[in-house]
Amino acid sequence: MRQSLAKKNRIYYLTKFEQFDQQPLGLIASWNWPAFFCGGVWAIYRKMYGWFFAFWGIATVSSVLEKAGSPGIGALVFFGPWIAFTVYANSLYHGRVKKKIAMAQLSIKDTPKLLEYLKYKGGVHTWVIWVFGLLPIIGILAAIIIPMLQPVPTPHSSSSKNPITRQSQSASSPSYESEGWTQESTGSTEVGPWLDYSPPGTRFCRYADRTIYRVYPPGVKPDAEKANPFCVGDSTLRFRGQTTVSEKGPTS
């Protein structure tokens, strides 16, 4: 009858079951490599549904502990039961087979029908191999194909949606054409961190009297005085520490 329930690796499990029958009742340690590598997947493959859901619950608790800031405890909660299940997997499977046979014998007295029933209720779920074997392959293919299908943004399209980016690009390479550019005196000859708080795209120019002027791109400060073309063309974009300001501007 056990041959009807343990179809896959029949010789291995029948040998184990005979060894267990000769020992006292209770869980008997016996390492199972498929259970070690597959865990809950092996359990559902062998139709041990309760243990599959137990693995699911343990994995959930472990994940919650890890997110709560206790990864060490989470790992212990996950791998502890996993190793224990691997050690006693054969014994647990043995108990399941004996229970199935005993329950079937209570309701079915005809031996041929009993064997037919055990063949139907026993065995394994072969679909588990296909499902869990194909999932990694599908994941790898998805990781390769999905990025290939996504449109690649061009520099033109990304900058056209951001007015600040457009403004910075237009300010990064000014010409001596000062149309739309404006300027404003800082009233100071000293370079300092306060210059870094200017609007995006602002450039700087030092007049002959060493006064520093802010030079604004078109549209930033339209009410300020019109920028001197020399300041637009020869100014610097940013100041850091004691950066030298361009002194090619006109005399005041």
Side-chain angles (χ1 to χ4, degrees):
M1 292 183 185
R2 293 176 178 177
Q3 295 178 359
S4 301
L5 288 172
K7 291 182 180 180
K8 297 295 182 180
N9 296 327
R10 180 180 302 173
I11 296 176
Y12 170 81
Y13 285 107
L14 288 178
T15 302
K16 288 291 182 183
F17 292 170
E18 288 178 0
Q19 294 174 356
F20 294 159
D21 288 339
Q22 296 172 5
Q23 299 185 34
L25 294 177
L27 292 176
I28 303 171
S30 174
W31 188 268
N32 186 300
W33 283 109
F36 173 73
F37 287 113
C38 301
V41 176
W42 178 86
I44 196 172
Y45 174 72
R46 289 287 169 181
K47 298 185 178 181
M48 300 168 68
Y49 306 110
W51 289 105
F52 170 76
F53 288 109
F55 267 95
W56 192 358
I58 290 171
T60 302
V61 173
S62 175
S63 178
V64 170
L65 289 172
E66 183 178 357
K67 292 179 180 179
S70 301
I73 299 177
L76 182 63
V77 169
F78 183 79
F79 288 108
W82 188 298
I83 297 300
F85 179 77
T86 301
V87 172
Y88 295 106
N90 288 329
S91 184
L92 293 170
Y93 187 44
H94 173 242
R96 174 189 172 275
V97 171
K98 288 180 62 177
K99 183 178 179 180
K100 283 285 185 181
I101 294 174
M103 292 179 62
Q105 287 175 332
L106 291 176
S107 56
I108 303 174
K109 303 302 181 181
D110 185 69
T111 301
K113 291 183 178 180
L114 176 61
L115 292 175
E116 188 67 27
Y117 173 79
L118 292 176
K119 287 180 181 179
Y120 171 74
K121 298 296 289 185
V124 296
H125 283 311
T126 54
W127 58 265
V128 173
I129 298 177
W130 290 99
V131 171
F132 289 93
L134 289 175
L135 282 178
I137 299 176
I138 294 174
I140 294 172
L141 292 176
I144 296 174
I145 295 174
I146 291 177
M148 296 173 61
L149 299 177
Q150 294 178 343
V152 180
T154 61
H156 175 74
S157 62
S158 61
S159 62
S160 62
K161 296 179 181 179
N162 191 333
I164 297 178
T165 304
R166 292 201 309 271
Q167 185 186 77
S168 299
Q169 289 177 344
S170 65
S172 62
S173 55
S175 65
Y176 285 91
E177 173 57 52
S178 61
E179 185 65 31
W181 287 72
T182 57
Q183 67 182 31
E184 185 178 65
S185 174
T186 64
S188 174
T189 61
E190 299 295 328
V191 175
W194 55 84
L195 296 176
D196 289 335
Y197 296 99
S198 302
T202 301
R203 304 178 75 83
F204 303 89
C205 177
R206 191 193 295 275
Y207 271 43
D209 64 356
R210 302 191 61 78
T211 300
I212 300 173
Y213 277 74
R214 289 187 177 91
V215 185
Y216 303 112
V220 175
K221 278 203 173 184
D223 297 333
E225 66 175 303
K226 183 178 179 180
N228 190 294
F230 291 99
C231 274
V232 175
D234 293 330
S235 57
T236 57
L237 181 60
R238 300 285 289 175
F239 288 93
R240 293 293 180 190
Q242 295 297 319
T243 303
T244 301
V245 185
S246 172
E247 297 185 8
K248 296 182 180 179
T251 59
S252 57

